[in-house]
């Protein structure tokens, strides 16, 4: 069933990206579970989106930019006045709060020869296939704190925050922007749940379920109380019977010597 969803989703990518005005799209839930998460967002790569802008015998790279929704009022530009891509980093933009930062670089997806979708049904290959179709923003939590790393950093996103994303096609020969998408619609990461608000019940209970449970609990309590009362009464009766038997036995033993003395 999962394989069918993947096939349908990817077969539609070429048609969806035929319109150059399209934006980066969040990955379908059938392809990426828990998306968005607290600190990541999985996006569909731009398959077939820039085909009309590609020239033969030239090489290109896809730049992925990210920024917080609130940064649009400050700046949403990703090139300078010479169409050169900005190299703003996560640290320089305060995690995207001051403007766009370059989150990733990757090769232009091959629309004519995509990965073999039949491999999606193979548990050993499905991860590699999805990595070729999807990109997870915020998936690198180590390089941000590595002073020796000078490349593009893709640090975790902030929880409960709105982000926008943009793809850019860059000519490797002169590092000039060849084409770009619009900014994506706002995508919000998940909110952290407070420990006091986490539901620890095995399953959620409705109001009627709570009432029924309360009534059954009271009924069980009455049954147990009645049972204990019956047991206590029975035990007391046995004790009284044993005491009467013991008293009668002592009376008989005391009267036997008197009878023997009288007969003498």
């Amino acid at each position: 069933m999962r394989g069918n969803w993947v096939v349908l989703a990817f077969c539609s990518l070429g048609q969806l990206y035929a319109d150059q005005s399209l934006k980066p799209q969040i990955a379908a839930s059938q392809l990426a579970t828990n998306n968005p998460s607290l600190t990541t967002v999985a996006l569909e790569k731009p398959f077939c989106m820039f085909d009309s802008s590609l020239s033969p015998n030239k090489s290109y790279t896809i730049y992925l930019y990210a920024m917080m929704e609130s940064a649009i009022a400050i700046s949403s530009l990703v090139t300078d006045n010479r169409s050169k891509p900005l190299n703003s980093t996560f640290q320089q933009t305060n995690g995207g709060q001051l403007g766009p930062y370059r989150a990733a670089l990757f090769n232009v997806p091959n629309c004519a020869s995509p990965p073999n979708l039949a491999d999606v049904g193979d548990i050993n290959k499905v991860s590699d296939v999805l990595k070729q179709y999807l990109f997870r923003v915020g998936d690198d939590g180590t390089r941000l704190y590595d002073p020796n790393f000078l490349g593009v950093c893709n640090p975790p996103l902030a929880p409960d925050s709105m982000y926008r994303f943009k793809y850019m096609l860059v000519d490797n020969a002169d590092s000039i922007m060849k084409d770009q998408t619009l900014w994506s619609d706002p995508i919000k990461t998940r909110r952290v749940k407070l420990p006091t608000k986490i539901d620890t019940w095995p399953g959620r209970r409705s109001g009627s379920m709570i009432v029924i449970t309360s009534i059954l609990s009271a009924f069980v309590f009455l049954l147990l109380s009645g049972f204990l009362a019956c047991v206590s009464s029975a035990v007391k009766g046995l004790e009284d019977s044993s005491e009467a038997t013991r008293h009668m036995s002592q009376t008989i033993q005391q009267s036997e010597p008197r009878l023997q003395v009288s007969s003498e």
Side-chain angles (χ1 to χ4, degrees), residues 135-146:
F135 184 83
R136 189 172 288 275
V137 187
D139 202 27
D140 189 350
T142 59
R143 293 178 177 177
L144 179 63
Y145 306 102
D146 183 359

Side-chain angles (χ1 to χ4, degrees), residues 39-94:
T39 57
T40 66
V41 173
L43 301 174
E44 296 177 354
K45 286 186 176 180
F47 273 86
C48 310
M49 182 178 289
F50 298 119
D51 279 9
S52 62
S53 301
L54 300 177
S55 300
N57 303 321
K58 282 194 173 185
S59 62
Y60 301 89
T61 299
I62 299 294
Y63 285 25
L64 171 62
Y65 286 91
M67 70 173 177
M68 286 191 173
E69 165 71 4
S70 57
I72 288 183
I74 302 175
S75 175
S76 61
L77 297 177
V78 291
T79 60
D80 59 19
N81 54 8
R82 296 176 299 167
S83 296
K84 289 277 189 180
L86 296 181
N87 295 325
S88 303
T89 65
F90 182 90
Q91 295 92 329
Q92 291 171 342
T93 61
N94 197 18

Side-chain angles (χ1 to χ4, degrees), residues 109-122:
N110 191 340
C111 185
S113 180
N116 187 3
L117 293 180
D119 291 339
V120 174
D122 188 339

Side-chain angles (χ1 to χ4, degrees), residues 94-190:
N94 197 18
Q97 297 184 50
L98 304 178
Y101 68 91
R102 194 169 57 177
L105 306 177
F106 52 85
N107 295 329
V108 179
N110 191 340
C111 185
S113 180
N116 187 3
L117 293 180
D119 291 339
V120 174
D122 188 339
I123 192 172
N124 297 318
K125 298 180 180 180
V126 61
S127 178
D128 292 336
V129 172
L130 293 181
K131 282 180 181 179
Q132 295 180 63
Y133 278 104
L134 307 178
F135 184 83
R136 189 172 288 275
V137 187
D139 202 27
D140 189 350
T142 59
R143 293 178 177 177
L144 179 63
Y145 306 102
D146 183 359
N148 298 319
F149 181 77
L150 302 177
V152 178
C153 189
N154 181 29
L157 304 175
D160 193 24
S161 300
M162 302 287 283
Y163 285 89
R164 288 180 182 264
F165 307 96
K166 176 193 283 284
Y167 286 127
M168 178 190 294
L169 179 68
V170 178
D171 189 335
N172 293 335
D174 50 15
S175 297
I176 295 294
M177 181 198 70
K178 185 70 174 179
D179 201 352
Q180 64 179 323
T181 68
L182 299 176
W183 283 101
S184 71
D185 294 329
I187 301 174
K188 189 175 184 179
T189 53
R190 293 192 179 183

